[in-house]
Amino acid sequence: MKRGHQRHRRRRERRRPGGLVVAVYAGALSLTGASLGWVVWAGIEQRGIALAFGSFIAVGELTRWGAVTGVGAPPVLGESWGREPAPLGFAGALAYALLGECAGRPTTHGALQAVAVVVAGGLAGAVPHVAHGRGPALDHVVRRVLTVGFAAVCFQPLYISGELDRRLGQGAYYALFLLLVLLLTALCDAVLAAALLRARTGYPFGPLLRDELRALLGIGSAVCATGAVMALAVAVAGLWALPVFCVPLLLTHLSFRRYAAVRTTYRQTITSLARATEIAGYTRPGHARRVAALSTAVGREMGLSGPELTVLEYAALMHDIGQLSLVDPVADGATAALPAAEQRRIALLGGAVVRQTGAPAAVAVVVEQQADPYREQPLPARIVRAVNAYDDLTGGSGGSAGGVLTALERLRLGTGHDYQPEVVESLARVLARGGLAPLPPG
């Protein structure tokens, strides 16, 4: 009981926000308070423009309906479609932060009003989501405030002072300057997102940052480009340019959401296929999901990201599919205790099945090689083998602290041939941080 209480206490402590998270949230809250206070004290400049952009941002937030965001945790599959759940609203926010003219008339709203309008529009658009219990993640809200504030501070003071016009004029150099500010803003947002995930999860910062930078090549580049184009178009054509120039991004967003739905359906199919061994009584309930979740955590601990994590997760889900070819099930599905030749035979049969599912060839290779000596395996196969053995040794529930230590000791004793030492130590670090929340059986 005492050990269980200590584990629960450690989990609660890990859920508490770290110093970096508190600092980032405090910075966003301070910027929001200063912006709203400035607007209340000084009034709203050019109210029609502010109302138009605020309404546009609110409508953009409403397009969050039905979006698959994956916010609040590191994306397992490393896909860019889950990074920005409301791209239309974000593009409008960037356009207002970088707006210098409206139909040839200079704007005077400044950086603080830009942040205030973005916050007000975002809150107005989020009300229906909050009412249905699907409000935006706080990390996304905080990042939105800070990144828009960064862009506005880089642009508005230079424009209002006239320094930007004197040095660059209104030609190609002006557009290049906008693109440079957007690039720096996107990099700032990527670093901020990776830092928040690092503080919350303990995963290495480098792979998380690579995932965020890779996402910039997807919907992120479309958002930034649309923000710049809308700012330039409104400067010439006025506010009518807002609905016209948002259409390409809206179509891109819809395409990404359809792609997300296809990928989600495919993953559900893989998960259902992996459960076949459980339904047939060959493995313990929840074994495949536990191995997949813990393997993904170990993969991130070791620096894997993006497509590598996709391969790792799919292979971990289907690593036992070869057991369906056995006449007599292995006791509790614990293949780690079988002779090496039998393990390899099951792995090869599983790889043959995986190749018939249409999964990437790399997934089948991992399943086929999971029973080979670790020096002959790719890294995902080494991870799956070690985590599968750990789950077999602990009976799937994690057991007591002594059971976990015994299982890790067994794995360490096998590092001469069966398990890569770095994988075992990464697994130990993940478990030392509390591992993963228990998954329900079945």
Side-chain angles (χ1 to χ4, degrees), residues 11 56 201 208 228 234 411:
R11 289 194 183 102
F56 184 86
T201 65
L208 293 175
V234 170
L411 294 180

Side-chain angles (χ1 to χ4, degrees), residues 76-401:
V76 172
L77 302 182
E79 300 292 354
S80 62
W81 49 262
R83 304 309 175 112
E84 178 48 58
L88 197 59
F90 193 23
L94 289 175
Y96 189 60
L98 301 177
L99 186 64
E101 293 183 357
C102 180
R105 184 179 62 179
T107 57
T108 58
H109 54 267
L112 291 178
Q113 180 172 311
V115 174
V117 169
V118 168
V119 170
L123 291 176
V127 169
H129 301 293
V130 174
H132 288 79
R134 295 193 295 263
L138 286 178
D139 279 7
H140 265 287
V141 175
V142 167
R143 286 167 47 199
R144 176 74 57 83
V145 171
L146 292 177
T147 52
V148 169
F150 176 84
V153 168
C154 288
F155 176 82
Q156 291 295 335
L158 290 175
Y159 179 82
I160 293 176
S161 66
E163 190 68 20
L164 191 61
D165 187 56
R166 285 193 297 271
R167 291 182 177 274
L168 300 180
Q170 296 294 323
Y173 290 112
Y174 179 82
L176 289 176
F177 176 75
L178 290 185
L179 292 177
L180 176 62
V181 172
L182 284 172
L183 177 61
L184 293 175
T185 302
L187 292 175
C188 175
D189 183 60
V191 171
L192 192 59
L196 288 173
L197 286 176
R198 171 70 177 86
R200 293 189 182 281
T201 65
Y203 294 134
F205 178 76
L208 293 175
L209 180 60
R210 285 200 301 271
D211 275 349
E212 297 298 331
L213 293 177
R214 185 181 292 112
L216 293 179
L217 302 177
I219 194 69
S221 60
V223 171
C224 292
T226 303
V229 168
M230 284 197 297
L232 293 172
V234 170
V236 176
L239 296 175
W240 287 107
L242 283 177
V244 173
F245 284 89
C246 77
V247 172
L249 179 61
L250 183 60
L251 295 177
T252 302
H253 180 45
L254 293 176
S255 298
F256 268 97
R257 283 176 55 177
R258 291 185 63 183
Y259 173 72
V262 171
R263 291 302 298 263
T264 300
T265 302
Y266 182 72
R267 185 179 183 276
Q268 291 171 346
T269 302
I270 295 295
T271 304
S272 299
L273 180 62
R275 290 193 62 196
T277 57
E278 302 171 16
I279 296 172
Y282 282 84
T283 57
R284 295 186 184 92
H287 171 72
R289 289 186 298 154
R290 289 192 301 270
V291 173
L294 193 51
S295 294
T296 302
V298 173
R300 281 198 174 275
E301 181 72 21
M302 299 191 69
L304 298 184
S305 62
E308 297 170 317
L309 288 175
T310 303
V311 171
L312 176 59
E313 185 193 26
Y314 286 174
L317 282 170
M318 296 191 290
H319 74 281
D320 271 332
I321 201 72
Q323 291 198 44
L324 293 175
S325 63
L326 299 178
V327 177
D328 298 317
V330 180
D332 294 325
T335 55
L338 293 176
E342 184 64 10
Q343 291 185 41
R344 291 194 185 96
R345 187 179 75 86
I346 295 174
L348 289 173
L349 291 171
V353 174
V354 172
R355 292 182 187 278
Q356 300 300 317
T357 66
V363 176
V365 170
V366 172
V367 174
E368 289 171 344
Q369 295 188 330
Q370 63 177 306
D372 295 345
Y374 78 81
R375 293 179 178 85
E376 303 173 9
Q377 295 174 317
L379 180 55
R382 300 176 186 183
I383 294 173
V384 171
R385 180 170 188 178
V387 173
N388 176 56
Y390 169 80
D391 194 74
D392 287 343
L393 292 170
T394 58
S397 62
S400 63

